[in-house]
Structures are given as C-alpha cells and as structure tokens.
Amino acid sequence: KMKNAFENIFKEGFKKAVLIGTDTPEISGEIIENAFYELSGNDFTIGPSFDGGYYLLGMKMMNDELFEDMLWSTGEVFEKTTLKIKKLNKKIYILKKLHDVDNVNDLKYLDLIMHD
C-alpha cells in the first residue's frame, strides 16, 4: 500500500512526498512540516517509532527497494529501511522517535504519558 501510494503521487508529478501512519497520536503538524522541509537537503526523511518501525517516511523520488524483502510489523523495519537508504548512498534525515499504537497496552501507555 505504501509503495503504491508513493508511485501514484510521483506519477502525478509531485517532487516530494511524505506518508504517515494513522496510529501515532503524538504526531503533529510541526513534525510533518519539518519532514517536508528536511527533504530540501536530504533524499529521505523517516520518523522512527519505539517499536522498531516508523511512523513517517518521506522521499523525493520513487525507490522500490525500500519496500522489497521487508518483514513488516517487526522491530527491524526502521533499521532495515535506513540500511537500504544508506546502501543507495542517499542522504536521510531522522525525525524524533514517537510511540505508535499497535495493541491495548500501547494505548494504555500513551494515555498515561499524554495525561501526565
């Protein structure tokens, strides 16, 4: 789904694209704006999540390699994605790490820290 979203947006002629997850309540407009801004001097932006995945991925050109041979929903997605980017000799900007919600325990934890 993510690969298709990026492919479609670049086919439309856009020069930058940022995709976000819908399970990250800590994300803000400022973080998204910063992701777009950082694409001015970098090829990619990525926002790591505490579970080893990522909540945001931004790029200036389509790169199929990032979506191939990936075991999604594992604690290695962020690391493997950044390694693939580095192997392409591309510049990457890493945003601050945020929590996402994958289960009830994540939701309880976020409720606790957001209301502290």
Side-chain angles (χ1 to χ4, degrees):
K1 292 178 185 180
M2 291 188 296
K3 179 181 170 184
N4 289 338
F6 279 117
E7 284 177 344
N8 289 332
I9 204 72
F10 288 122
K11 282 180 187 174
E12 292 289 324
F14 289 91
K15 304 295 182 205
K16 298 178 187 177
V18 170
L19 182 137
I20 63 169
T22 59
D23 61 348
T24 310
E26 294 176 303
I27 198 167
S28 66
E30 182 180 327
I31 291 170
I32 297 167
E33 287 176 15
N34 190 40
F36 273 106
Y37 173 79
E38 290 297 338
L39 283 173
S40 298
N42 295 281
D43 301 298
F44 295 90
T45 55
I46 190 166
S49 57
F50 279 96
D51 66 0
Y54 56 81
Y55 63 87
L56 180 150
L57 181 64
M59 61 178 77
K60 294 196 289 192
M61 67 202 87
M62 189 60 210
N63 283 275
D64 292 340
E65 301 92 354
L66 300 185
F67 306 102
E68 296 170 358
D69 300 319
M70 185 68 69
L71 290 174
W72 299 103
S73 300
T74 67
E76 300 174 350
V77 173
F78 171 77
E79 182 181 347
K80 287 187 176 188
T81 302
T82 56
L83 283 174
K84 288 181 179 193
I85 292 169
K86 290 174 185 174
K87 285 182 182 178
L88 294 169
N89 290 318
K90 301 294 183 182
K91 291 175 65 178
I92 182 171
Y93 181 83
I94 299 174
L95 300 160
K96 71 178 181 175
K97 193 179 281 192
L98 298 179
H99 296 91
D100 63 358
V101 179
D102 294 320
N103 55 50
V104 173
N105 289 333
D106 293 340
L107 187 60
K108 288 177 183 176
Y109 178 75
L110 275 170
D111 184 51
L112 182 70
I113 65 169
M114 292 180 89
H115 291 99
D116 239 358

